[in-house]
Amino acid sequence: MRAIEITKPGEPDVLQLCERPLPVLKSGEVLIKVHAAGINRPDVFQRLGKYPVPPGASDLPGLEVAGEIVDGDLGDSGFAKGDLVCALVQGGGYAEYCAAPLEQCLPVPEGLTPLEAATLPETYFTVWSNVFDRARLSEGESLLVQGGSSGIGVTATQVASALGHRVFITAGSEDKCRAVEALGAERGINYRDEDFVAVVKELTDGRGVDVILDMVAGDYVAREIDCLADDGRLVVIALLGGAQANLDMNHVLRRRLTITGSTLRPRPVAFKAAIARQLREQVWPLFAQKKIKPVIHHVFPLAEAAAAHTMMESSAHVGKIVLQVLAD
């Protein structure tokens, strides 16, 4: 099969087209003929040598795919060979075939193509796990999403808005703010020109938000604590602004705040399977109801993975960047 490998840690041009054997399936896995694969920020970190591959996972990049099940023991899963699915994987997505745990497969949502479905697993698993499971965003509560124009950002915005929550986001331009407002955000905050703490306080009559989804960390954390409501929860999922933060812990104690975080890739199949079940039950119907939709910024052919990474690193995109492997 054709695949994209990381020849050595470095710039996007280290991503090279190669020939690899088809994956050998492990117990509980299925083989997917890949139509498309999503590009995600962890792929960039892996390419740079900053995101180690979990033991036993493919060294090929790519954490989400969509395509056709062509092999594997399907048991009583309800899936059959030939079904179109999308799947969260630990690696190997940038290829014509990919092994995926059966329990991490979801049907392509009604009305979507496999190309569109390839943009879903990584961001939807991540958002559901962190915003709704870990941070417990509940009825009547509000959410602030840092990096609202990213794949994670547009996913969190749409899902939380569709489920009835007030959503505020930050982004780096007025165009990006308006684009995410069109997806359900009540207010986009241009972090280059506005203080998100002041804006959030004004929009919530001084109360603050209940949950913050943060991909920045660093010196953002202290400011985020200032715009959390009492009993608020901050969940950190990336460290684009740095791993160190200087905090006044008095706020945490007096206002009963929670600071938490997680990474998804190393978690066991059983953990991700539980998320898949919740997504299928509570989120997948929202696609058929036209309450949420995939947001694709650009599609590249598999051989142009380097160009896709260059675009990802430019942060010029709104939504997802996709590698098309097989025409729908």
Side-chain angles (χ1 to χ4, degrees):
M1 67 176 185
R2 294 187 310 148
I4 296 292
E5 65 182 1
I6 301 171
T7 54
K8 61 181 179 181
E11 296 302 309
D13 60 4
V14 304
L15 296 171
Q16 295 290 325
L17 195 64
C18 67
E19 292 284 335
R20 287 285 187 97
L22 264 63
V24 176
L25 297 182
K26 302 172 187 173
S27 176
E29 290 185 335
V30 294
L31 185 65
I32 297 174
K33 185 177 183 180
V34 177
H35 288 217
I39 302 285
N40 293 281
R41 188 70 63 171
D43 302 344
V44 173
F45 296 148
Q46 181 177 334
R47 192 202 75 224
L48 292 169
K50 297 179 180 179
Y51 195 33
V53 176
S58 170
D59 66 307
L60 299 175
L63 301 177
E64 60 184 352
V65 298
E68 176 188 352
I69 295 177
V70 295
D71 199 6
D73 181 5
L74 301 172
D76 58 359
S77 66
F79 289 119
K81 291 180 182 178
D83 282 354
L84 293 175
V85 297
C86 56
L88 182 72
V89 296
Q90 279 198 316
Y94 293 12
E96 291 180 316
Y97 291 87
C98 181
L102 177 60
E103 292 185 289
Q104 292 172 205
C105 293
L106 285 161
V108 170
E110 180 182 338
L112 300 191
T113 66
L115 177 67
E116 293 170 322
T119 69
L120 307 180
E122 171 68 10
T123 56
Y124 278 79
F125 275 72
T126 297
V127 166
W128 190 266
S129 176
N130 287 284
V131 174
F132 295 96
D133 283 346
R134 181 165 291 276
R136 308 178 311 283
L137 184 67
S138 303
E139 184 176 354
E141 292 190 327
S142 55
L143 171 68
L144 171 65
V145 182
Q146 305 285 18
S149 61
S150 66
I152 292 286
V154 300
T155 296
T157 296
Q158 289 192 88
V159 174
S161 177
L163 295 177
H165 301 280
R166 297 181 74 189
V167 182
F168 313 108
I169 67 99
T170 63
S173 74
E174 291 300 318
D175 286 346
K176 287 182 176 181
C177 287
R178 302 296 85 78
V180 187
E181 287 173 353
L183 296 170
E186 180 177 324
R187 174 73 149 81
I189 305 165
N190 184 346
Y191 63 78
R192 300 185 190 279
D193 299 328
E194 300 179 283
D195 177 359
F196 70 80
V197 178
V199 174
V200 166
K201 286 291 190 68
E202 179 183 356
L203 293 169
T204 59
D205 297 324
R207 178 180 180 275
V209 292
D210 299 286
V211 172
I212 299 176
L213 181 63
D214 180 23
M215 292 166 270
V216 183
D219 61 10
Y220 263 43
V221 175
R223 298 169 64 197
E224 287 165 336
I225 285 176
D226 285 342
C227 66
L228 276 175
D230 289 355
D231 297 298
R233 289 84 72 196
L234 167 63
V235 57
V236 180
I237 60 170
L239 307 173
L240 296 176
Q244 305 298 318
N246 187 15
L247 306 180
D248 181 350
M249 295 300 291
N250 281 310
H251 288 288
V252 177
L253 298 178
R254 286 189 292 104
R255 299 199 287 117
R256 305 171 303 280
L257 305 179
T258 299
I259 303 172
T260 185
S262 74
T263 57
L264 185 60
R265 190 178 189 182
R267 300 302 294 270
V269 171
F271 178 84
K272 297 171 188 175
I275 301 172
R277 290 191 293 271
Q278 293 178 78
L279 289 173
R280 188 166 185 173
E281 177 184 338
Q282 301 188 55
V283 178
W284 256 223
L286 299 175
F287 287 105
Q289 297 165 14
K290 307 297 184 185
K291 293 182 178 180
I292 59 176
K293 63 182 181 180
V295 180
I296 297 177
H297 184 82
H298 197 84
V299 179
F300 291 90
L302 179 65
E304 295 181 19
H309 274 226
T310 297
M311 178 174 284
M312 169 67 74
E313 290 181 283
S314 76
S315 294
H317 57 292
V318 175
K320 293 299 292 280
I321 302 167
V322 190
L323 293 179
Q324 185 158 24
V325 181
L326 181 69
D328 287 341

